[in-house]
Amino acid sequence: MARLHLHLLSDSTGETLEMIAKAALAQFDHSEVNRHFWPMVRSRQHLDRIFDEFKANPGLVLYTLVNEEIRDRLEERCRSLGLPHVAALDAVTAALEERLEQEAKGRPGRQHALDDAYFARVDAIQFTIAHDDGIGWENWEEADIVLAGVSRTSKTPTSIYLANRGYKVANIPLVVESPPPPSLFELRHPMVVGLTTAPDRLIQIRRNRLLSLNEKTETDYVDQERVKTEIAFARRMFADNGWPVIDVTRRSIEESAAAVIKLYQEREARAVPPRVGTKPI
Amino acid sequence: MARLHLHLLSDSTGETLEMIAKAALAQFDHSEVNRHFWPMVRSRQHLDRIFDEFKANPGLVLYTLVNEEIRDRLEERCRSLGLPHVAALDAVTAALEERLEQEAKGRPGRQHALDDAYFARVDAIQFTIAHDDGIGWENWEEADIVLAGVSRTSKTPTSIYLANRGYKVANIPLVVESPPPPSLFELRHPMVVGLTTAPDRLIQIRRNRLLSLNEKTETDYVDQERVKTEIAFARRMFADNGWPVIDVTRRSIEESAAAVIKLYQEREARAVPPRVGTKPI
């Protein structure tokens, strides 16, 4: 198979386009795809410099440009160079134009408006960082979600991921010898979720962790019986308190987080019946 | 304008589809759009339950389902209910099929494979959390990026955002009275970037911060002359060391992060001439 150059042009951060490319490419075997990422393309001059790169590395051009003049110029040049080009958001935008009975504004960067939702998201990130690993438990009532689990069940990265989606998250490691603060069992606003995993998988992850820290790899921390006891202790606590449980074995952070969001939305829907899936972005 | 129900169906986490919807909707005024989010749709049973919701709240259906059987069933049902429906990734997928000369696999969740890139990203998040706010400066040489700036220039959320994109980031607050560790000026591997902002804007943000902490709002921390001195001190440090600077005034976290990534890629491109924009994910 020939090497494919994939040019990604955005007039904003390019984040959406990167995700589109990643999701679509995941459906192919593509060891030979070379991505060229061109964010913040908002002027003819900038575009003209990129055309030089098109000539050097011709390939498929994907874009989310919304400014009509810049877009027209890009499309015209792609045609003259014989390059295939796809406006990645056009099908969705066209459907929205029809349903909302208005034309798309064509103004770049509008999804990065510094609006209330944006500041709420930044707050969520700050809150989550300040409530990692059991820190700041006095404020747990302010959290949307509290994740509980034994060491190395991905509590931190899952919390951070959820914070990026707008949720205020705290997390607490469960340690047999040292019970969590009693307030954990009395929370009203936050949803507490237990994270668990298969003992063998946990031992493997912890062993790698110790190796990467250059520490000896035969301790209680990775002892099979010991780890089983720990996980059973956590599972019992989840059951005793009626907390929903997510098994993170072989799940990516994104998938665990999606499962947490689903639980959260179901809880919200039960609390206020007509509200379905309308939590933040 | 009528209220629009927007149904988003994914057979994986739905993250890509949510971003597509957000980016496209940003080009409209849409106070009346009600999003219904349906991730992890992988069975006929699940789909059938969602059809009930379609009937209750008919609207536009966007989907990224890759399994052919589930997709066909969805499309057929949308047609029979008279609902407009758009396969959000199809244009891009079709272009890739042609250029890569293979058919898309049609297997859900492939972008969440637990591969090397995935684990590198989780490592980046762990590293970044452990190197927030000047902590762990002994390991800065392992970072890809070190962000430096005075208090409240969005160092933490920008770091976290970059970590989610796969970069190992440390950040350090610049305080006039307490100089940063000398190692900051001797880093070889990481790119150091200075964050700055307009004094008035900084005072406003800090005042809000004090208010939210219930502290008194007339301190050195928000004194105009004092803040100007602080920013000048930081700017001089950036200039003396030849560090690139990003002004975060009126930029969202995503936009600041995109500017950092652009600088990083330019530096990489200079270091190894033929490599353009091929950093992670």
Side-chain angles (χ1 to χ4, degrees):
Chain A
M1 194 192 71
R3 175 172 213 85
L4 173 65
H5 289 283
L6 189 60
H7 293 274
L8 307 172
L9 278 80
S10 164
D11 44 26
S12 183
T13 65
E15 199 183 357
T16 309
L17 187 55
E18 254 193 320
M19 282 202 71
I20 290 173
K22 194 182 166 195
L25 280 169
Q27 296 299 323
F28 298 90
D29 299 321
H30 60 87
S31 49
E32 295 295 313
V33 173
N34 202 349
R35 275 176 252 208
H36 305 261
F37 184 52
W38 310 105
M40 300 307 254
V41 180
R42 292 187 184 180
S43 70
R44 292 175 62 134
Q45 293 76 2
H46 191 172
L47 202 53
D48 289 345
R49 286 200 303 278
I50 297 170
F51 292 150
D52 293 337
E53 297 290 331
F54 284 4
K55 283 180 216 154
N57 297 301
L60 174 60
V61 179
L62 305 180
Y63 55 102
T64 51
L65 306 173
V66 296
N67 177 285
E68 211 169 321
E69 190 197 330
I70 302 283
R71 246 184 95 121
D72 287 350
R73 192 173 172 80
L74 172 70
E75 289 166 0
E76 186 192 320
R77 185 56 64 100
C78 284
R79 276 192 296 271
S80 78
L81 292 170
L83 298 181
H85 50 289
V86 177
L89 290 176
D90 269 18
V92 171
T93 304
L96 284 171
E97 284 187 326
E98 195 178 327
R99 306 301 296 186
L100 293 171
E101 295 169 14
Q102 37 170 319
E103 270 187 44
K105 304 275 179 203
R107 286 207 298 276
R110 271 176 60 113
Q111 77 263 48
H112 300 297
L114 302 181
D115 55 12
D116 289 351
Y118 170 78
F119 287 110
R121 198 150 53 84
V122 173
D123 273 358
I125 294 171
Q126 303 277 19
F127 180 93
T128 302
I129 300 271
H131 296 82
D132 185 36
D133 206 33
I135 300 169
W137 56 269
E138 311 82 25
N139 314 316
W140 279 349
E141 197 55 43
E142 291 168 39
D144 298 313
I145 295 161
V146 177
L147 300 179
V150 301
S151 175
R152 298 278 119 192
T153 44
S154 311
K155 292 182 299 298
T156 298
T158 307
S159 299
I160 293 301
Y161 181 87
L162 287 165
N164 268 297
R165 301 281 290 265
Y167 299 89
K168 292 166 103 171
V169 184
N171 72 71
I172 171 85
L174 297 180
V175 180
V176 180
E177 297 77 9
S178 149
S183 66
L184 179 63
F185 307 104
E186 289 152 19
L187 296 173
R188 297 176 56 86
H189 171 68
M191 176 178 72
V192 182
V193 177
L195 299 185
T196 192
T197 186
D200 290 349
R201 176 78 184 142
L202 194 59
I203 291 169
Q204 188 196 335
I205 290 172
R206 289 184 173 181
R207 214 164 248 151
N208 291 341
R209 172 72 175 169
L210 292 176
L211 276 175
S212 79
L213 296 170
N214 287 320
E215 303 205 358
K216 68 185 169 88
T217 55
E218 291 313 323
T219 71
D220 267 4
Y221 188 64
V222 293
D223 177 77
Q224 181 120 25
E225 282 313 306
R226 178 68 215 177
V227 167
K228 278 188 184 160
T229 308
E230 245 184 279
I231 292 180
F233 162 80
R235 277 196 167 273
R236 201 157 43 237
M237 188 185 295
F238 303 156
D240 287 349
N241 291 281
W243 297 333
V245 178
I246 290 171
D247 186 340
V248 303
T249 320
R250 313 228 163 270
R251 263 196 170 121
S252 70
I253 304 299
E254 290 84 353
E255 289 167 328
S256 300
V260 173
I261 293 173
K262 201 163 168 237
L263 288 170
Y264 189 89
Q265 292 182 336
E266 284 165 5
R267 194 175 100 136
E268 291 275 284
R270 277 196 304 276
V272 194
R275 239 182 112 202
V276 185
T278 49
K279 240 261 137 174
I281 298 298
Chain B
M1 192 191 72
R3 176 172 212 84
L4 173 64
H5 289 284
L6 189 60
H7 293 274
L8 307 173
L9 278 80
S10 163
D11 45 25
S12 183
T13 66
E15 198 183 358
T16 307
L17 186 56
E18 252 193 322
M19 283 202 69
I20 289 173
K22 193 182 168 194
L25 279 169
Q27 297 300 321
F28 299 89
D29 300 321
H30 60 86
S31 49
E32 295 296 312
V33 173
N34 202 350
R35 276 175 250 206
H36 304 260
F37 184 52
W38 311 105
M40 301 307 253
V41 180
R42 292 188 183 178
S43 69
R44 290 175 64 134
Q45 291 78 358
H46 191 172
L47 201 52
D48 288 345
R49 285 199 304 277
I50 297 170
F51 291 150
D52 293 337
E53 297 290 331
F54 284 4
K55 282 179 217 155
N57 296 300
L60 175 60
V61 178
L62 305 180
Y63 55 102
T64 51
L65 306 173
V66 296
N67 177 285
E68 212 168 321
E69 190 197 329
I70 301 283
R71 245 184 96 123
D72 286 350
R73 191 171 173 81
L74 172 71
E75 289 165 1
E76 187 193 318
R77 185 56 64 99
C78 284
R79 273 191 299 270
S80 77
L81 292 170
L83 298 180
H85 50 288
V86 177
L89 290 176
D90 269 18
V92 171
T93 303
L96 284 172
E97 284 188 325
E98 194 179 328
R99 305 304 294 185
L100 293 171
E101 296 168 13
Q102 36 169 318
E103 269 188 45
K105 303 275 177 205
R107 285 205 300 275
R110 273 177 58 114
Q111 78 264 46
H112 300 297
L114 302 180
D115 55 12
D116 288 352
Y118 170 78
F119 287 111
R121 198 151 53 84
V122 173
D123 272 358
I125 294 171
Q126 303 276 19
F127 180 93
T128 302
I129 301 271
H131 296 83
D132 185 36
D133 207 33
I135 300 168
W137 56 268
E138 312 82 25
N139 314 316
W140 277 350
E141 195 57 41
E142 292 169 38
D144 297 314
I145 294 161
V146 177
L147 301 179
V150 301
S151 177
R152 299 278 117 189
T153 45
S154 310
K155 293 182 298 299
T156 297
T158 308
S159 298
I160 293 300
Y161 181 87
L162 287 165
N164 268 298
R165 301 281 290 263
Y167 298 90
K168 292 166 104 169
V169 185
N171 72 72
I172 171 86
L174 298 180
V175 181
V176 180
E177 297 76 11
S178 148
S183 66
L184 180 62
F185 308 104
E186 288 153 19
L187 295 174
R188 298 176 57 86
H189 171 67
M191 175 177 74
V192 183
V193 177
L195 300 185
T196 193
T197 186
D200 290 349
R201 176 83 184 137
L202 194 58
I203 290 168
Q204 189 197 334
I205 290 173
R206 287 183 176 183
R207 215 164 249 152
N208 291 342
R209 170 74 175 167
L210 291 177
L211 277 175
S212 79
L213 296 171
N214 288 320
E215 303 206 356
K216 66 185 171 87
T217 56
E218 290 314 321
T219 71
D220 267 7
Y221 188 63
V222 293
D223 177 78
Q224 181 121 29
E225 283 314 306
R226 179 68 216 175
V227 167
K228 279 189 183 159
T229 309
E230 245 185 279
I231 292 181
F233 162 80
R235 278 197 166 276
R236 202 157 43 237
M237 188 185 293
F238 303 155
D240 287 351
N241 291 280
W243 297 332
V245 179
I246 291 171
D247 187 339
V248 303
T249 320
R250 312 225 163 272
R251 263 195 170 124
S252 70
I253 305 297
E254 290 83 354
E255 289 167 328
S256 300
V260 173
I261 293 174
K262 201 164 167 231
L263 289 169
Y264 189 89
Q265 292 183 334
E266 283 164 7
R267 193 175 99 137
E268 290 273 284
R270 278 197 304 276
V272 194
R275 237 180 115 200
V276 185
T278 49
K279 240 257 136 173
I281 327 293

